[in-house]
Amino acid sequence: SPSRSWPIRHSDIDVLGHVNNSVIWTAWEDTRLGSGARAGGGGGRYEAEYRTQLFHGPAELVTSPGGDQVWLGAPDEPSSVSVRELG
């Protein structure tokens, strides 16, 4: 699966030190398939699964081979959150 580092900015962190939920949607929109999900773009159905909190630090964005799902998490750890298209 293609992967790349994903920047976690200071503005992405909430008062409890967690990464804001909107970060995964931003990462999804930055993929080929997710680019069609932008506001006003006709929408679609998507599912986000939050397994664990993502904390401040380096992150890695992994895209499935078909591009229909992305995972975001700390490098070398199980992904914290994923988004996939439902169809």
Side-chain angles (χ1 to χ4, degrees), residues 3-65:
S3 67
R4 60 184 160 128
S5 65
W6 184 262
I8 301 294
R9 303 164 304 180
H10 184 69
S11 60
D12 294 334
I13 309 300
D14 67 18
V15 296
L16 299 176
H18 304 128
V19 173
N20 186 295
N21 291 339
S22 65
V23 171
I24 186 60
W25 293 106
T26 301
W28 168 256
E29 287 181 346
D30 197 46
T31 65
R32 178 184 54 80
L33 191 61
S35 65
R38 296 190 192 281
R45 290 185 33 156
Y46 306 92
E47 174 182 73
E49 179 182 347
Y50 298 89
R51 297 176 186 151
T52 62
Q53 289 290 336
L54 183 58
F55 294 94
H56 187 273
E60 181 177 52
L61 177 66
V62 179
T63 306
S64 67

Side-chain angles (χ1 to χ4, degrees), residues 21 24-25 28 33 37 43-51 68-72 80-87:
N21 291 339
I24 186 60
W25 293 106
W28 168 256
L33 191 61
R45 290 185 33 156
Y46 306 92
E47 174 182 73
E49 179 182 347
Y50 298 89
R51 297 176 186 151
D68 60 343
Q69 187 166 7
V70 298
W71 297 270
L72 189 64
S80 298
V81 61
S82 67
V83 172
R84 70 184 178 106
E85 183 176 36
L86 294 177

